[in-house]
Amino acid sequence: MSGQVNAEGGPAKGTAAPSRKRSYEAAMRSRNGDNWFGSVRSADAELYNEARTLRDKSRWMVRNNPFAAKATASLVSNVVGEGIIPRPVTGSPSRDRKIWEAFQRWSFRCDHAGRLDFYGFQALLFREMVEGGDSLVRRRHVKKRGPGDVPLELQLLEADFLDPMRNGVLNEGALTIQGVEIDMKSQKRRAYWLYPYHPGNLPYFYGGEPMVSQPVPADEVLHVYEMQRTQTRGVPWGTPAIERTNQLNDYELAEIVRKKTEACVVGFVIGAENADEDSVGIKVQDADGAEVEHFEPGMIPRLHGAKDVKFNTPTAVGGYGEYKTKSLQEIAAGWRMPAELISGDLSEVNFSSMRGGLVEFRRLVGTIQWQILIQMALQPIWEWWCEAAWLAGIIDEPYVPVEWSPPEFAWVDPLADAQTAAIEVRNGFRTWQDVVAEKGRNPDDVLDGIRAFNTKVDDLEITLDSDPRRTNAKGVLQAVQEEDAGEEPELSRPNRQHGRARGVRSPAAVRSARGGSLRELQRGRQHDRHRVDDGRERPPVRLVGRDRIRRGPVGRL
């Protein structure tokens, strides 16, 4: 009769209720997994009471734990390094150089505190985001100091400047969440409620003024953090590793205390004649017979009436190294980086395993650079600078297209990497520009440097075995194919047709017709590669294939 139901829809009398089984075993409740269920709350609700505690624990851990300090330093050095460099790309080399020189002058004094340049500012901004979960950059308009000066400064603020107690509907049509005011209709950020001073400072640091937060327009503040969900505030990066790091500290402390105790107690004097004295307990005496209530290394406690000596034999506890290694691996996983970068121990890795681990870490670094640091901070800062420079009359447009060059990611075997890059370029898998850009250089600058260097060595009549125009890959001098002074150099098919269509000779042929020597003709063919055959300048080299090049202003919250 199994499966029969009554009129109400329930099982009929005399039949057993059918057993129900969840579709997902992970959702099944059990005695061992009841404490595994979390509350169904938003990310902002989860962070509301815990954000301050997480920041305090994260900063304490970075200050006092060597592994947390090393993890933070490794992330900063790999993501920012010497700095992520902007390159203006207007299409005119002379104009790009002018804009770049103006930005370089500003970069040395961009910090509102007057301590860092633009690239040191990047490192501190990212470090604060790693330790505290999020960081703030406030735009400060200053007076113009002189010609060519951009009246703009950047003020870096810690996450504590955001007032976490500002919540709810404070202004009409806006909802404030932990100090961030959001327009309820457009869901765009309207303002940030910032303290005038750091709330953790002592009162006499700021003269005892009342600590009251005030709203600052959202277009004057950049809020940089990692979005793990659609939360309004960030979370410290080492949060998953905080508990495991604390447990490892407790384990090491217990081992140290045990070793110290074993080292202090060398032996015991036993064998008392009176049995009652044997139960008095340990009595430690100094040279004068006074009782001592603590142990020191090398002491021998004496029992009352004892006559024999029994020496302490410390027991060896195994598994300490294995436990610490596994704990460091779990801590490194919480920081999302290889354990070898945290511990500095390379004894258990080889070339292949180290390189394989760094490949995954390199992808993470690229994700952080392009999706967080450049998108949320550097690109908006560039737009701020362009606007200020345009208003100051330094540039002629309110926005200049820009390319960002992150620092080069060094590999374990640079020779193999260089050979691989050369093979890929020769086979057309990549372009020369891409290889140069990955090293953090601007291809246009590299070509200008090569051209200037080749011209100089030619003028000095110096031949280097590294010059591919003179020697082959083995350093052997190549034969020079001479041409008549009046003969026009062979052109590629597209350029030859272009020249015939316009009826214009190449620059080398023009110089030859004017009586130039063979040496000048050869040098012209070598160094006029930046010009097409009709004398016009070629467009600047672009980073072909880089899908993260910024061509225009980007929208932001």
Side-chain angles (χ1 to χ4, degrees):
M1 299 295 293
S2 177
Q4 296 181 359
V5 296
N6 56 21
E8 286 76 15
K13 293 183 178 181
T15 61
S19 60
R20 301 179 62 184
K21 187 176 181 180
R22 289 184 179 272
S23 301
Y24 295 94
E25 294 182 0
M28 182 175 59
R29 294 182 179 272
S30 63
R31 181 176 57 186
N32 296 329
D34 284 344
N35 59 349
W36 203 9
F37 292 89
S39 58
V40 185
R41 298 192 298 178
S42 67
D44 293 327
E46 294 285 353
L47 285 173
Y48 179 70
N49 293 322
E50 284 81 10
R52 177 62 183 271
T53 303
L54 290 177
R55 284 200 303 270
D56 294 342
K57 285 187 175 182
S58 176
R59 289 166 177 168
W60 184 93
M61 190 170 59
V62 173
R63 290 194 304 265
N64 296 279
N65 186 272
F67 301 118
K70 182 62 167 61
T72 303
S74 295
L75 282 172
V76 174
S77 61
N78 281 278
V79 173
V80 179
E82 297 86 359
I84 302 178
I85 304 174
R87 302 285 184 182
V89 283
T90 62
S92 172
S94 59
R95 186 183 176 196
D96 289 345
R97 186 172 299 278
K98 178 182 178 181
I99 297 174
W100 169 248
E101 291 175 353
F103 182 85
Q104 281 293 89
R105 290 193 301 268
W106 172 83
S107 67
F108 285 104
R109 62 159 198 82
C110 66
D111 184 18
H112 185 66
R115 307 296 298 175
L116 303 172
D117 65 354
F118 181 62
Y119 307 106
F121 189 88
Q122 294 179 19
L124 185 58
L125 182 150
F126 180 69
R127 182 183 182 89
E128 175 56 31
M129 186 183 70
V130 171
E131 287 190 23
D134 42 9
S135 57
L136 304 169
V137 180
R138 185 172 181 180
R139 174 165 58 173
R140 293 290 189 177
H141 300 278
V142 296
K143 293 182 179 181
K144 190 175 181 179
R145 301 177 182 178
D149 180 64
V150 178
L152 172 68
E153 291 181 351
L154 306 175
Q155 183 182 12
L156 181 61
L157 303 176
E158 294 183 350
D160 306 85
F161 276 82
L162 265 177
D163 188 355
M165 305 309 296
R166 295 285 188 176
N167 295 279
V169 181
L170 303 181
N171 295 317
E172 183 179 357
L175 176 66
T176 304
I177 302 175
Q178 301 184 60
V180 181
E181 185 174 313
I182 302 174
D183 187 271
M184 299 177 65
K185 183 177 180 180
S186 64
Q187 294 298 309
K188 301 293 184 180
R189 302 194 176 197
R190 179 186 292 182
Y192 292 89
W193 290 80
L194 302 178
Y195 289 115
Y197 307 98
H198 195 292
N201 278 342
L202 298 176
Y204 53 80
F205 282 3
Y206 51 86
E209 297 180 7
M211 188 69 68
V212 180
S213 60
Q214 297 293 334
V216 178
D219 57 358
E220 298 292 323
V221 179
L222 300 178
H223 189 192
V224 187
Y225 64 98
E226 181 190 24
M227 294 188 65
Q228 298 177 349
R229 296 172 63 184
T230 56
Q231 78 269 22
T232 308
R233 300 290 301 272
V235 180
W237 282 54
T239 297
I242 289 178
E243 186 64 23
R244 178 59 66 182
T245 304
N246 187 47
Q247 292 176 358
L248 180 60
N249 289 339
D250 293 343
Y251 179 81
E252 291 187 336
L253 179 61
E255 282 292 314
I256 293 173
V257 172
R258 185 179 65 83
K259 290 294 185 182
K260 285 183 176 181
T261 304
E262 292 178 348
C264 288
V265 182
V266 178
F268 293 89
V269 179
I270 63 175
E273 295 180 355
N274 189 350
D276 295 336
E277 295 180 355
D278 214 13
S279 62
V280 174
I282 299 176
K283 181 180 180 182
V284 182
Q285 299 175 342
D286 57 14
D288 300 330
E291 293 186 6
V292 180
E293 296 182 354
H294 66 276
F295 291 132
E296 293 180 0
M299 293 188 65
I300 300 179
R302 180 184 297 274
L303 300 181
H304 288 193
K307 295 181 179 180
D308 194 8
V309 178
K310 292 293 184 179
F311 290 97
N312 182 29
T313 56
T315 58
V317 178
Y320 171 75
E322 292 80 0
Y323 175 80
K324 187 169 184 178
T325 300
K326 293 299 182 182
S327 297
L328 286 177
Q329 292 175 353
E330 295 180 3
I331 293 172
W335 285 94
R336 291 170 282 179
M337 59 191 310
E340 291 76 18
L341 296 183
I342 292 181
S343 64
D345 183 12
L346 304 178
S347 59
E348 299 297 330
V349 299
N350 53 33
F351 176 81
S352 299
S353 62
M354 187 65 183
R355 188 179 181 92
L358 290 178
V359 167
E360 182 67 23
F361 181 64
R362 182 178 183 179
R363 291 182 177 178
L364 173 65
V365 168
T367 301
I368 298 171
Q369 290 171 339
W370 290 103
Q371 297 183 4
I372 300 178
L373 200 55
I374 293 178
Q375 173 69 19
M376 291 187 173
L378 302 186
Q379 182 68 27
I381 289 175
W382 174 263
E383 297 172 15
W384 282 354
W385 181 86
C386 290
E387 179 183 353
W390 177 64
L391 293 175
I394 299 175
I395 61 177
D396 53 2
E397 290 185 5
Y399 178 77
V400 176
V402 63
E403 295 175 350
W404 295 97
S405 299
E408 178 186 4
F409 197 96
W411 283 113
V412 180
D413 189 358
L415 177 60
D417 298 331
Q419 293 174 345
T420 302
I423 294 175
E424 290 178 343
V425 171
R426 291 186 65 87
N427 286 275
F429 301 145
R430 303 170 65 190
T431 63
W432 179 86
Q433 299 96 301
D434 292 336
V435 176
V436 175
E438 284 188 357
K439 295 183 175 296
R441 304 287 304 280
N442 187 350
D444 287 338
D445 293 344
V446 174
L447 290 177
D448 291 341
I450 293 175
R451 182 178 61 206
F453 178 77
N454 288 341
T455 303
K456 187 173 183 179
V457 296
D458 289 345
D459 292 340
L460 298 176
E461 298 183 354
I462 297 175
T463 301
L464 302 175
D465 62 357
S466 60
D467 189 349
R469 305 171 304 162
R470 302 285 187 266
T471 61
N472 57 21
K474 297 182 179 180
V476 180
L477 190 66
Q478 301 184 92
V480 179
Q481 297 180 358
E482 296 186 356
E483 299 178 359
D484 296 337
E487 182 180 355
E488 182 178 353
E490 181 67 19
L491 302 176
S492 62
R493 184 175 302 275
N495 288 339
R496 182 166 61 248
Q497 294 175 353
H498 179 75
R500 290 173 179 174
R502 290 179 172 268
V504 181
R505 289 182 296 173
S506 67
V510 173
R511 287 194 302 270
S512 176
R514 293 178 179 177
S517 63
L518 175 62
R519 176 180 171 186
E520 293 176 347
L521 176 63
Q522 292 176 344
R523 189 181 305 163
R525 291 199 305 270
Q526 295 157 5
H527 302 304
D528 280 344
R529 301 301 185 188
H530 66 298
R531 295 179 179 275
V532 295
D533 298 330
D534 58 358
R536 295 182 292 106
E537 289 189 356
R538 294 183 183 272
V541 177
R542 309 301 291 270
L543 306 186
V544 181
R546 290 181 68 89
D547 57 347
R548 291 295 182 183
I549 296 175
R550 302 300 184 190
R551 300 301 183 189
V554 297
R556 58 182 186 273
L557 297 178

